[in-house]
Amino acid sequence: MTLNVSVKWNGRKYPVELDTAQPGLVFKMQLYSLTGVAPDRQKIMVKGGLLKDDADMSTLGMKEGQQLMMMGTVGELPKAPEQSVVFLEDMTQEQVAKALKLPAGLTNLGNTCYMNATLQCLRAIPELQTAMEKVAAPTTQDRLSNLTLSMRSLFKELASSGAAVPPLVFLQVLRSVYPQFAERNNEGYMQQDAEECWGQIIQGLNEKVPGLSTSGEALKDRHFVDQFMTTEVLATTTCDDEPNEVPSTTIETFNKLRVNIGSGVSTYLVMEIANSLVEKLEKNSPTLGRSAMYTKTSKITRLPQYLAINFVRFQWKAQEQTKAKILKRVQFPFELDMAPFCTADIQEKLIPAKLRLKEISDRKAEAKKLKNAAGGLPQPGADGDVAMASGSADAAEAVAKKDHLTVLKELNVHESLINDPGANPSGQYDLVAVLTHVGRAADSGHYIGWVKDQESNDWWKYDDDKVSKIRSEDIAKLEGGGDWHTAYICLYRSKQLE
């Protein structure tokens, strides 16, 4: 049944066609369209009190031409957003970086991708940035100090910037210290070898950046690179042609483990490391009085917190006068165990921390297994309480974590490792950065840095000023075997004891 009624509100009368078969909310919506008063703000007097949303209108005794009274105020109109909506395609590069929380890239200043990729990978060493803060400004013109200070300033700018940073000052200082990076041809500055750039930067830093104590204070009698990035080996050389000749032993150090790539279609990093620690030499034998073949075997006596591994992918071809690339596939792990390459004495010293890491790994694996079995739902404990979610558990663990030195002492780690804050006490490593090359020659093609975020465990692809988040599966594709990006340097970090 339909009735014509009127509603008086705010001094005016509004004619309304009332359908008694519909609930009260329908009538209120009609008034909302006429007055702008929202249904939840309307107070309409009817028989029995105020009209309710679910009221049966046919039972209220409404009559043709009846006048009703309504009270209520119009609510505030929706306000326009304080900041207008900006679509991604309309944003500047800086706005996109801030919106997506992307880390800053480095502008390519003309064939400088080799330097940009190197710097982004070295940023994966937070202790280096801490140590560079201890470097004082030189009182005289010191190019190596300027190299360190300009690198420190650049890292700070990258940390605070929402857009790509042009490394102008650092590039100028680098070229003044190492003129080979200023080499030019008819087209401008030439492409350079990233491995050479890495080595020269590390050499310069080793001269000026001090070591760190266990409390983070500067050690003037130590160098950061020697402390945190240098491996020590015991090399034993024996004569193959004269077994009775007394073997010679030497202590050698390096801050980048060079891994030669053998023949075949593909291989594994661990296998190539083992092969690289055994060399064949030809030299004069004092016992035989002639040239003889020798075998040089190296065993590691100290592992650093950060282990850089350089795949020797380029070999000099005299005919073409260029460094040709070895495209062979080399599978590298996300977790690396270097203990088997150490001396027996060092292997024994690594056992306590290594066992602790295994306990942590087993505990996490068991927790993940239980979570998967339960369909991802938290399970009640023995006392009936529901276990906290993994994120909350991680947060609680973070609060309860002890400092590195305390953990080492509780594990009864050997004193020589406790007193060496830059050493790896377990021999276990996590992959944190990869520097890749695409192309057929070292002085051509393109270099990119791939770096793991230490806090979120995401991976970032630093292609000069273009930065993007990638999956760990994409890192596994950098093994080589074709013309895709190929791992040239891998940076491993000592596993953290929790």
Side-chain angles (χ1 to χ4, degrees):
M1 180 178 176
T2 302
L3 300 174
N4 292 310
V5 299
S6 62
V7 176
K8 188 175 181 180
W9 174 76
N10 202 25
R12 290 184 58 186
K13 291 184 180 180
Y14 295 88
V16 183
E17 192 176 77
L18 171 63
D19 185 351
T20 58
Q22 298 294 333
L25 181 59
V26 173
F27 183 58
K28 287 185 176 183
M29 291 301 297
Q30 289 177 280
L31 294 175
Y32 176 47
S33 65
L34 294 172
T35 64
V37 180
D40 60 340
R41 289 174 170 267
Q42 295 175 15
K43 294 182 180 180
I44 305 171
M45 302 301 297
V46 295
K47 181 181 177 181
L50 297 176
L51 179 65
K52 297 181 179 180
D53 291 348
D54 58 352
D56 184 351
M57 302 298 286
S58 64
T59 64
L60 299 179
M62 294 287 186
K63 298 179 181 179
E64 182 74 17
Q66 184 173 343
Q67 179 177 301
L68 302 172
M69 294 289 294
M70 184 182 81
M71 293 181 291
T73 57
V74 178
E76 293 184 8
L77 294 175
K79 294 182 179 180
E82 295 182 3
Q83 295 183 346
S84 59
V85 177
V86 180
F87 294 98
L88 191 64
E89 56 268 24
D90 298 325
M91 291 181 175
T92 64
Q93 185 177 1
E94 183 174 359
Q95 289 172 325
V96 171
K98 287 184 176 180
L100 300 180
K101 297 182 179 179
L102 298 177
L106 289 166
T107 306
N108 191 316
L109 301 177
N111 283 331
T112 58
C113 60
Y114 68 93
M115 180 190 73
N116 291 347
T118 298
L119 290 172
Q120 294 289 14
C121 288
L122 290 177
R123 286 182 67 203
I125 307 177
E127 295 90 344
L128 173 59
Q129 299 179 49
T130 300
M132 285 196 294
E133 290 294 328
K134 314 295 183 182
V135 179
T139 55
T140 59
Q141 188 65 21
D142 186 331
R143 292 187 301 172
L144 286 179
S145 292
N146 289 337
L147 181 75
T148 301
L149 295 174
S150 62
M151 184 171 169
R152 181 178 73 184
S153 298
L154 180 59
F155 280 7
K156 286 183 178 180
E157 191 174 358
L158 284 169
S160 61
S161 177
V165 176
L168 288 166
V169 176
F170 180 81
L171 178 61
Q172 291 174 353
V173 176
L174 179 70
R175 286 172 173 167
S176 69
V177 178
Y178 305 110
Q180 65 267 35
F181 299 119
E183 188 179 4
R184 301 172 66 102
N185 58 19
N186 294 334
E187 299 178 357
Y189 287 105
M190 297 175 62
Q191 176 70 288
Q192 301 293 333
D193 186 346
E195 186 271 332
E196 183 180 1
C197 179
W198 180 295
Q200 297 287 35
I201 291 176
I202 294 300
Q203 179 183 328
L205 294 177
N206 194 37
E207 294 288 331
K208 297 300 177 181
V209 182
L212 296 175
S213 67
T214 54
S215 60
E217 298 299 320
L219 295 175
K220 295 182 179 180
D221 59 337
R222 298 289 300 275
H223 297 284
F224 178 86
V225 173
D226 289 340
Q227 191 179 16
F228 281 84
M229 302 183 70
T230 299
T231 303
E232 183 182 279
V233 299
L234 174 65
T236 303
T237 304
T238 58
C239 183
D240 298 343
D241 298 342
E242 177 52 70
N244 294 324
E245 184 173 307
V246 179
S248 63
T249 58
T250 56
I251 299 294
E252 300 177 0
T253 60
F254 55 82
N255 52 54
K256 187 164 68 268
L257 175 59
R258 292 174 59 84
V259 175
N260 295 306
I261 300 175
S263 59
V265 178
S266 66
T267 186
Y268 297 90
L269 173 61
V270 173
M271 184 183 302
E272 296 302 331
I273 290 176
N275 294 336
S276 296
L277 293 175
V278 179
E279 302 177 65
K280 288 293 183 179
L281 307 172
E282 184 177 359
K283 64 176 186 175
N284 184 66
S285 169
T287 304
L288 299 176
R290 61 173 175 82
S291 181
M293 293 302 300
Y294 286 79
T295 298
K296 179 182 177 182
T297 304
S298 298
K299 288 286 187 178
I300 296 173
T301 55
R302 180 190 186 270
L303 284 166
Q305 284 280 333
Y306 290 89
L307 177 66
I309 296 179
N310 168 220
F311 299 90
V312 183
R313 286 201 172 273
F314 297 100
Q315 57 184 2
W316 179 253
K317 287 195 172 182
Q319 186 174 356
E320 291 86 356
Q321 289 293 297
T322 186
K323 291 181 180 178
K325 187 174 181 179
I326 301 173
L327 298 175
K328 181 179 176 180
R329 180 185 179 196
V330 180
Q331 299 183 48
F332 54 88
F334 285 90
E335 298 181 347
L336 177 64
D337 181 4
M338 290 294 292
F341 307 111
C342 297
T343 62
D345 176 55
I346 296 300
Q347 288 188 40
E348 185 175 352
K349 292 179 181 179
L350 298 177
I351 289 176
K354 187 176 181 178
L355 289 177
R356 167 59 66 88
L357 287 171
K358 186 178 186 306
E359 291 174 6
I360 295 171
S361 178
D362 291 345
R363 188 167 65 246
K364 288 182 176 180
E366 183 64 22
K368 184 177 181 180
K369 181 180 178 181
L370 292 174
K371 184 177 180 180
N372 291 337
L377 296 175
Q379 294 299 295
D383 57 358
D385 291 334
V386 176
M388 67 178 71
S390 60
S392 300
D394 291 342
E397 281 188 16
V399 173
K401 280 182 181 178
K402 302 174 182 178
D403 66 85
H404 184 71
L405 184 62
T406 301
V407 174
L408 293 181
K409 290 181 177 178
E410 290 181 351
L411 293 175
N412 292 320
V413 170
H414 195 274
E415 186 178 358
S416 61
L417 292 174
I418 293 178
N419 295 330
D420 188 355
N424 182 338
S426 66
Q428 311 301 298
Y429 288 92
D430 285 320
L431 182 67
V432 292
V434 182
L435 191 153
T436 63
H437 175 268
V438 59
R440 293 292 179 130
D443 51 5
S444 64
H446 186 57
Y447 292 96
I448 290 179
W450 314 68
V451 182
K452 185 179 182 181
D453 189 304
Q454 298 296 315
E455 296 181 359
S456 66
N457 289 331
D458 292 323
W459 280 86
W460 297 103
K461 176 184 177 183
Y462 291 97
D463 185 358
D464 288 327
D465 58 337
K466 296 181 287 295
V467 182
S468 56
K469 183 183 290 188
I470 60 169
R471 301 171 302 171
S472 58
E473 291 83 354
D474 296 319
I475 300 298
K477 298 176 184 177
L478 306 177
E479 299 169 340
D483 288 328
W484 179 242
H485 300 283
T486 304
Y488 191 21
I489 297 176
C490 284
L491 181 64
Y492 285 89
R493 181 186 185 185
S494 173
K495 277 184 173 291
Q496 302 300 294
L497 292 167
E498 300 178 12

